[in-house]
Amino acid sequence: MAATRRLYLARHAQADPDTGDLTDTGRRQADLLGARLSEFAPHTLRHGPLPRAAQTAHLVASHLEDVTPVELPEAGDYAPYLPERHELPPTHADGVLDFLHRVPPDARSADLGRRALELLTGPVEGRTELREVVITHAYLVGWLVTAALDAPPWRWVSVGAANAGLTVIRYAPHGPASVVTLNELTHLPDELRWTGFPPHLRP
């Protein structure tokens, strides 16, 4: 017997680039994200190891009932898949490979990427729907969305995720995965959306 998994993915809130801790803006984003997630009554809450993800998760947890944040290495900040040139469309190959070349070697892990797919995707055993929250980073959001859509694996590089943006993926026992919402920001006021991006680059 299998049941539906609803995966609520969120990129961490805004953090200070020097200290890694949440800014005042980030704490506001995390509180609003927690209030939004409370509407879904999630069963679990996991987060990446870095301070910005852990701090976001603990602020989110303050809005949830009977949910304790648990650290998950697979929810860390890393490049989950490194394509070869032959996998890429010629028009995009140089740009994608240049981007990936700038990712530090210790922030690349195909192994963690595979494990994230094993741990966080697909229906769950049993008869009861599982609603789980994962506070992570932009790369993993892109990776899981790419897998849910059966897109070429390199396309994770093209999925944007804003601070405290919410993505929901539904894995039903029968049928393909469904991306219910991608990078939803309705819980944030305009001034808290797309923080860290220059105005001319914001959607």
Side-chain angles (χ1 to χ4, degrees):
M1 179 66 72
T4 296
R5 179 203 305 258
R6 291 184 187 270
L7 183 64
Y8 298 87
L9 292 169
R11 185 186 175 198
H12 61 83
Q14 185 192 57
D16 186 303
D18 296 321
T19 67
D21 293 326
L22 295 188
T23 62
D24 289 341
T25 291
R27 285 188 285 273
R28 289 179 60 203
Q29 290 172 327
D31 274 326
L32 291 167
L33 175 62
R36 176 75 172 114
L37 287 167
S38 69
E39 300 174 17
F40 305 111
H43 303 115
T44 65
L45 169 57
R46 294 189 275 188
H47 62 83
L50 294 179
R52 57 189 182 271
Q55 291 171 15
T56 300
H58 280 79
L59 286 170
V60 165
S62 68
H63 295 269
L64 308 179
E65 291 188 13
D66 301 320
V67 174
T68 301
V70 176
E71 183 176 305
L72 182 70
E74 290 80 3
D77 191 12
Y78 60 91
Y81 183 81
L82 301 171
E84 301 290 339
R85 179 176 286 274
H86 68 83
E87 300 176 65
L88 304 169
T91 53
H92 303 311
D94 287 342
V96 170
L97 293 174
D98 179 65
F99 165 74
L100 292 173
H101 179 74
R102 288 183 275 113
V103 176
D106 61 355
R108 308 174 189 179
S109 182
D111 181 58
L112 284 174
R114 285 190 294 270
R115 283 159 46 188
L117 292 178
E118 293 171 0
L119 288 169
L120 299 173
T121 69
V124 295
E125 293 185 5
R127 299 176 178 272
T128 304
E129 177 181 279
L130 174 64
R131 298 185 295 276
E132 56 183 342
V133 174
V134 177
I135 306 297
T136 183
H137 303 264
Y139 293 173
L140 186 63
V141 173
W143 179 234
L144 295 176
V145 167
T146 295
L149 295 175
D150 292 324
W154 70 268
R155 288 302 302 268
W156 70 265
V157 305
S158 64
V159 180
N163 291 131
L166 179 61
T167 293
V168 183
I169 305 176
R170 179 176 180 268
Y171 303 94
H174 306 288
S178 175
V179 179
V180 179
T181 186
L182 175 63
N183 201 43
E184 180 194 338
L185 298 174
T186 57
H187 49 285
L188 302 178
D190 287 347
E191 68 272 16
L192 297 186
R193 299 179 183 181
W194 291 106
T195 52
F197 288 78
H200 67 284
L201 293 180
R202 297 176 190 174

